[in-house]
Amino acid sequence: MTTLQHVETRFGTLAYREEGNGPGLPLVLCQRFRGTLDDWDPDFLAPLMANRRMIRFDSAGIGGSQGAVPDSLDGIAEVAIAFLDAMKLDKVDLLGWSLGGFVAQHVALAVPKRIRRLIIAGSGPGGPSEGPEPHPRVREVMAHPQNGEEDFLFLFYADSDTSRAAGRANLARLTAVPNRVPDVTAAGFMSQLKAIGTAKGVRDRLAELSMPVLVANGAHDVMIPAYRSYIISQEAPDAKLILYPDAGHAFLFQYPQEFAAEVSRFLAD
């Protein structure tokens, strides 16, 4: 486990971990709803950091960071941009998962010249969408004060023995992570929930994402149906879509080696 570091921004002191090195721009990771910088699966991180500099951080008010959690996606994106400023990162590759995928799109639209390549995992453009709706139980389960193992498996993995087994293995790896930052607080959870619930979405601006974009999801995501990833791939001008079988929202941790290899190939092109 790398040392937890901190950097000062106008939103407060933000926590981050920096790993790996190598040629090319750093890869910055934006985390999911209710997730911290220590909720990235080690089996996914290890191959990514093998040949490049990688930075994962906690947004304002999350995990090891100070400040208050913004209650809008634009506000959370402003924190991410302030983090890039404080780290003196003029240009990066950006990977966002789930809520982080929404945030990454907002960042790329706000400062397009600073994002060389964009990876949107388990996410969509936000706002109203045609196609399948999230599973009717998602809102109820997401709103639980604490998400136990069954909640986690329902939200993040497909309803199959193989996918659920992968989910339990993912949970075991995360539980074994030492010196974890604090979990997301109730106040932070509510602000994130408001940010998601009030967002209008960016579908009408997807054509502005001129950088190469890699979009990926599990074929059976109950929270953000894979069709919404397909929308991005159709409307962003230079986007590639990958769907993983027998997998849900946490496909990247069910197939950590495979997806890390896809990411590495995409960033190396």
Side-chain angles (χ1 to χ4, degrees), residues 24-179:
L25 297 175
L27 175 64
V28 176
L29 307 183
C30 296
Q31 183 56 290
R32 65 171 172 87
F33 171 67
R34 291 180 93 166
T36 73
L37 57 78
D38 288 328
D39 286 314
W40 295 99
D41 192 312
D43 280 9
F44 175 62
L45 297 178
L48 286 180
M49 72 178 76
N51 296 301
R52 75 165 42 238
R53 180 183 176 199
M54 186 183 67
I55 303 168
R56 45 193 166 119
F57 75 103
D58 279 332
S59 187
I62 298 296
S65 292
Q66 297 178 356
V69 179
D71 60 6
S72 72
L73 291 184
D74 282 332
I76 301 174
E78 287 179 12
V79 176
I81 295 168
F83 176 75
L84 299 182
D85 291 342
M87 295 289 290
K88 296 180 170 52
L89 298 172
D90 294 329
K91 197 156 196 169
V92 299
D93 294 323
L94 189 63
L95 186 159
W97 173 39
S98 190
L99 170 60
F102 294 127
V103 173
Q105 291 173 76
H106 282 251
V107 171
L109 289 167
V111 290
K113 293 183 178 179
R114 298 182 70 173
I115 309 303
R116 185 188 72 112
R117 299 208 164 193
L118 177 64
I119 303 160
I120 303 169
S123 197
S129 175
E130 72 272 18
E133 291 295 316
H135 191 288
R137 285 189 56 220
V138 165
R139 286 186 177 274
E140 170 206 337
V141 175
M142 281 180 64
H144 290 171
Q146 299 291 330
N147 286 141
E149 180 177 299
E150 284 304 311
D151 286 353
F152 182 83
L153 294 175
F154 167 73
L155 291 173
F156 290 97
Y157 289 86
D159 187 17
S160 71
D161 290 344
T162 51
S163 187
R164 288 170 65 86
R168 293 189 184 93
N170 170 215
L171 273 177
R173 291 190 294 268
L174 293 179
T175 300
V177 171
N179 304 316

